[in-house]
Amino acid sequence: MNWIARRLNPVTRRRLRRFRQIKRAWWSFLILLVAYAISLGSELICNDVPLYARYEGQSFFPLLRYYPETTFTGSGKQTRPDYKDIEASQAFRRNPKNFMVFPLIPYGPHETLDTSDVEVANEVVGVFE
């Protein structure tokens, strides 16, 4: 940072020094910077597309490259594949060397919950009783 500071206007250098002295502002800036860096890699944390897939002896990286559905199913469809359906299919499970590595949270923005999967209590309990 020293070489950058030498090229800056003296007024700007003084303002940056003052900003760094305000600890709450400096730590808030660093936290915001870390949160922004994490958000850049958010698809590595939460996505319905696998990071890596091994299918019939070939390696695939669906997060980095588009593969049509026909690559995995042979259906002739050039559409976006549903990797969870492919992983659950009988053709995929036939070979024990086939596998997919999903992110920590394997759900995408276009997925919804099935209403039968949601548990609802039979009795409602009030907080202010």
Side-chain angles (χ1 to χ4, degrees):
M1 175 131 170
N2 234 355
W3 64 275
I4 295 173
R6 278 188 249 138
R7 302 183 104 203
L8 294 175
N9 186 335
V11 175
T12 306
R13 269 189 265 157
R14 196 171 345 124
R15 287 177 180 164
L16 286 173
R17 202 174 317 118
R18 175 70 181 125
F19 178 75
R20 187 115 193 243
Q21 287 174 353
I22 304 170
K23 296 293 182 196
R24 189 179 331 158
W26 179 249
W27 281 107
S28 297
F29 173 71
L30 290 179
I31 290 169
L32 185 64
L33 203 62
V34 167
Y36 181 70
I38 289 171
S39 75
L40 291 176
S42 63
E43 291 202 8
L44 300 172
I45 299 169
C46 180
N47 201 345
D48 61 340
V49 176
L51 304 172
Y52 176 76
R54 182 82 175 165
Y55 180 68
E56 300 299 331
Q58 292 182 321
S59 294
F60 298 96
F61 297 93
L63 190 66
L64 302 175
R65 184 168 181 251
Y66 173 77
Y67 298 102
E69 185 175 335
T70 190
T71 304
F72 300 101
T73 61
S75 65
K77 295 180 182 177
Q78 296 295 319
T79 58
R80 179 182 180 273
D82 185 352
Y83 290 102
K84 291 180 183 175
D85 284 347
I86 293 171
E87 187 181 34
S89 73
Q90 202 66 296
F92 188 84
R93 292 182 175 258
R94 193 174 310 130
N95 187 348
K97 294 183 179 179
N98 293 342
F99 67 93
M100 292 185 186
V101 177
F102 282 92
L104 293 174
I105 304 169
Y107 301 104
H110 305 293
E111 289 185 274
T112 58
L113 286 175
D114 188 13
T115 54
S116 62
D117 293 342
V118 179
E119 293 181 22
V120 180
N122 290 334
E123 158 182 337
V124 178
V125 178
V127 178
F128 302 106
E129 289 182 5

